[in-house]
Amino acid sequence: MTDSERQQHAHLDGLAQAYAEVLAAHDIDGVLLYSGRPAGHFGDDQHASFAAYGHFVHWTGQAQLAHSWLLVRPGEPPTLTLHAPADFWHLPARLPEEPWIERFRVEARESTEPPVLPSGRFAVLGDVTDDMARALVAEANPPGLLAALDELRVRKSDYEVSCLREANHRAMAGHRAAREAFEHGGAELDIQLAYLSGARQRESELPYPNIVGLNAHGGVLHYQHYDKAPPTARRSLLLDGGRRYRGYCADITRTWAGGDADPEFAPLIEGATALQRRLIAALAPGVDYVALHRRMHEGLAALLVEQQLVTASPEAVLASGLTRAFCPHGLGHLLGVQVHDVAGRVNAAGHPLPPPAEHPALRLTRELEAGMVVTMEPGFYFIPMLLEAHRHRPEVNWGRVERLADHGGIRIEDNVLVTADGPVNLTPQEP
Ligand code: GLY
Ligand code: MN
Ligand code: MN
């Protein structure tokens, strides 16, 4: 058995033990996890791309298995009901031939209906229809149980950390290829295709649609298109590209200045990168992530002053709310089998921890613990609709802002493991 296989066995042992404790605490005999089904296009026989439910992936690592079910009962091997109809239109779903499969009871079948449950008290979790829940005689998605199982995904096992690290390595191969395509004058579509080729993953399997923004498109936070023609000037590329490995997600962003960039742009990238490194160095168990997010805004205020975008003290810039116009998103989020992993806004007991009113987009509001994997993604953008509200401020160097606006924005995003011995950056650092 390889080290990775041994780690996976330990991961499954830990999961079985933790599920047994949670189910006992909720007086439930077992839980049925539904992988889900792809959404169909109305009036058509085609479907949207698909990602299986996180709790199903937590056990199986299989993010593409639709219409499948996993029954977890303490003291029994988990039973995987695999939807694998005999079909000459498609290749039936197949599981990898790997040692972890031996720990599961696998039942392949034609039907997409839920399996028949043994007698007892069961819960079913996932995107089940009312008909499914009724047929199962099981409670669908009970909030208390759901919160307790979400909590099991917050601290990663060694196996999960290895998968997240490998996802990062493979995503970085995509970033490398994408950067080369950018340097060769490629259009957004060329850069995306180079990324997919470098990362060796098809688009529908990515954890999220890659964001490939040239020039001003880098300032659209979730820019969703891939222009087919290259722009006439190559000022910047913001590439937020992910990759899955055995179900686990990488979420990496890099920003590059192009040959036509204003000379004031590269120092901004350097400033944002230095800020990100300082914030990563502060990651430790017991640190409040909201405080770290506020520290990002202090750093952005200092950067605005240092780069002469604003003539005021950093304290005054912070108080004016300008940094929130330049960066309206959060410092980062939990990462795992979902890119925005669960339980970022509750404490360990499941009580809500809403984000501060002035930072509504912050997805992680809890105290950091060893074993968490978080993204660290300070950003800095020229977003006309947000800057407009500050147009009256004479302290802003609007001439400089206008010169840089066509560069869109900057985000530098790495994936970092929190440990008691210091942060471990899972993202390869390349020049
Ligand atoms: N790629 C989405 C995000 O960074 O949160
Ligand atoms: Mn990202
Ligand atoms: Mn992210």
Side-chain angles (χ1 to χ4, degrees):
M1 212 187 279
T2 64
D3 284 352
S4 160
E5 287 163 354
R6 255 188 292 279
Q7 277 187 336
Q8 190 174 12
H9 279 288
H11 169 72
L12 290 171
D13 287 340
L15 215 44
Q17 171 77 27
Y19 262 62
E21 286 165 17
V22 168
L23 292 178
H26 287 80
D27 199 20
I28 288 179
D29 297 311
V31 63
L32 184 63
L33 306 174
Y34 176 43
S35 73
R37 61 195 172 282
H41 300 168
F42 185 71
D44 197 349
D45 61 358
Q46 302 297 310
H47 292 85
S49 60
F50 172 76
Y53 181 43
H55 287 308
F56 180 88
V57 181
H58 199 197
W59 282 88
T60 63
Q62 303 293 304
Q64 296 289 308
L65 273 188
H67 303 295
S68 295
W69 305 80
L70 184 71
L71 177 62
V72 180
R73 276 188 301 167
E76 300 279 334
T79 302
L80 175 57
T81 304
L82 180 70
H83 180 239
D87 181 0
F88 51 80
W89 295 105
H90 303 100
L91 193 67
R94 240 188 266 141
L95 293 169
E97 286 175 19
E98 294 175 349
W100 66 271
I101 296 291
E102 287 154 26
R103 312 209 16 172
F104 288 66
R105 212 177 272 148
V106 179
E107 293 170 2
R109 57 177 200 154
E110 302 263 330
S111 162
T112 58
E113 297 299 308
V116 176
L117 290 172
S119 61
R121 185 167 177 231
F122 287 86
V124 57
L125 304 187
D127 185 17
V128 286
T129 60
D130 291 347
D131 282 351
M132 286 172 174
R134 256 193 308 277
L136 282 164
V137 198
E139 209 180 328
N141 299 307
L145 177 68
L146 207 48
L149 297 182
D150 283 354
E151 188 61 23
L152 301 182
R153 285 172 41 194
V154 169
R155 287 156 299 277
K156 269 57 185 182
S157 65
D158 292 344
Y159 170 71
E160 293 181 288
V161 172
S162 300
C163 291
L164 288 161
R165 191 192 297 276
E166 187 59 30
N168 264 264
H169 277 269
R170 294 180 186 215
M172 190 47 78
H175 275 269
R176 215 177 292 130
R179 186 183 177 190
E180 231 167 80
F182 170 57
E183 283 168 358
H184 284 91
E188 289 168 353
L189 182 65
D190 301 311
I191 296 169
Q192 166 73 341
L193 294 174
Y195 180 96
L196 296 174
S197 170
R200 309 284 310 152
Q201 191 151 75
R202 62 188 292 182
E203 204 163 356
S204 59
E205 291 172 308
L206 295 177
Y208 57 90
N210 284 353
I211 299 162
V212 183
L214 287 175
N215 300 343
H217 292 159
V220 181
L221 295 183
H222 285 170
Y223 174 64
Q224 72 276 42
H225 301 294
Y226 305 113
D227 272 357
K228 295 177 187 72
T232 46
R234 264 179 337 114
R235 297 187 183 88
S236 61
L237 166 66
L238 186 152
L239 171 57
D240 187 341
R243 210 237 188 237
R244 271 192 199 268
Y245 177 72
R246 298 178 80 85
Y248 288 83
C249 305
D251 177 12
I252 303 173
T253 310
R254 291 291 181 264
T255 308
W256 305 108
D260 302 316
D262 188 289
E264 287 162 5
F265 188 62
L268 273 175
I269 299 179
E270 281 162 32
T273 305
L275 172 60
Q276 192 238 22
R277 293 201 175 133
R278 286 200 303 279
L279 293 168
I280 287 176
L283 287 172
V287 168
D288 174 11
Y289 200 81
V290 177
L292 219 48
H293 171 86
R294 292 191 197 281
R295 221 201 279 180
M296 169 182 79
H297 279 277
E298 289 166 15
L300 290 174
L303 189 62
L304 283 171
V305 174
E306 186 188 293
Q307 297 293 322
Q308 297 164 40
L309 281 155
V310 186
T311 310
S313 70
E315 294 73 22
V317 176
L318 202 57
S320 72
L322 257 172
T323 59
R324 284 181 271 129
F326 280 102
C327 182
H329 64 66
L331 172 60
H333 48 86
L334 294 171
L335 184 71
V337 291
Q338 288 169 219
V339 63
H340 298 145
D341 214 358
V342 289
R345 286 179 170 178
V346 291
N347 68 14
H351 294 300
L353 295 172
E358 69 279 23
H359 300 287
L362 183 58
R363 296 177 195 271
L364 177 54
T365 52
R366 55 193 285 172
E367 200 174 273
L368 295 175
E369 295 171 53
M372 286 181 173
V373 174
V374 299
T375 67
M376 293 296 279
E377 47 181 304
F380 186 94
Y381 314 85
F382 300 94
I383 304 174
M385 71 176 274
L386 297 183
L387 291 177
E388 207 42 49
H390 295 271
R391 197 43 85 166
H392 61 283
R393 294 190 187 282
E395 69 270 32
V396 176
N397 184 341
W398 289 107
R400 197 173 267 241
V401 168
E402 299 309 334
R403 273 200 303 284
L404 291 166
D406 281 347
H407 300 65
I410 296 165
R411 180 162 65 254
I412 310 293
E413 177 175 24
D414 286 355
N415 306 161
V416 187
L417 170 69
V418 178
T419 84
D421 301 324
V424 178
N425 197 334
L426 304 177
T427 307
Q429 300 299 299
E430 298 192 357

